[in-house]
Amino acid sequence: MKFDEALEITNPLGRTQFVVAASACFATFASAFVNLSNVFLAEIPEFHCSSPSEGAPLNISVPINDDGSYSECEQFVSEGDGDTTEKCTNGWDYDQDLYGKSIVTESTVSETLAAYGRRQMLDQGTMVPR
């Protein structure tokens, strides 16, 4: 018996085929939210280096860029020293006015890289023919 003959016997556009097609559409629609959620959850808000000491004015410990914003990646070696800078050693402070907490503000670099690696494996797995 060939496939066409079996399909004629089982009714080509019956209830079973409709249920299978609807289930496939539902699964695809639901997975779209998972795949696209990163667009909304991983937005990077404005940020700057954290001040090394509590209560210290930010302009003493973090350089100011030409556009008036605080430097995102540099801090002064010692507070009040306006010449020598180094990379951020105390983490970052994120502006939470627009976004609040997000994946970016709550994770570390190693967690972010691990999540990126998992995402790459997932994407590669969807390209493998079945």
Side-chain angles (χ1 to χ4, degrees):
M1 178 182 291
K2 294 185 178 183
F3 180 74
D4 290 337
E5 293 171 357
L7 193 59
E8 285 296 324
I9 293 172
T10 61
N11 190 2
L13 293 174
R15 184 173 185 215
T16 304
Q17 286 80 9
F18 177 76
V19 169
V20 169
S23 300
C25 289
F26 177 73
T28 303
F29 183 73
S31 70
F33 286 105
V34 173
N35 289 330
L36 295 175
S37 66
N38 203 30
V39 172
F40 303 104
L41 297 175
E43 178 66 30
I44 302 173
E46 292 185 23
F47 63 97
H48 55 79
C49 291
S50 292
S51 179
S53 58
E54 287 290 321
L58 197 57
N59 59 357
I60 293 176
S61 58
V62 179
I64 297 176
N65 295 328
D66 294 336
D67 63 357
S69 63
Y70 291 105
S71 175
E72 295 175 345
C73 299
E74 293 181 331
Q75 68 183 20
F76 292 124
V77 173
S78 61
E79 290 184 359
D81 177 23
D83 296 328
T84 312
T85 60
E86 63 183 355
K87 292 187 178 191
C88 293
T89 57
N90 301 317
W92 294 271
D93 288 330
Y94 294 92
D95 180 22
Q96 295 188 352
D97 292 338
L98 185 59
Y99 300 110
K101 293 182 179 181
S102 70
I103 292 172
V104 175
T105 62
E106 298 298 313
S107 65
T108 63
V109 173
S110 60
E111 291 171 345
T112 304
L113 290 176
Y116 180 73
R118 286 191 300 270
R119 179 66 196 185
Q120 288 298 316
M121 286 189 282
L122 175 67
D123 288 345
Q124 295 301 320
T126 59
M127 291 185 208
V128 175
R130 296 176 192 162

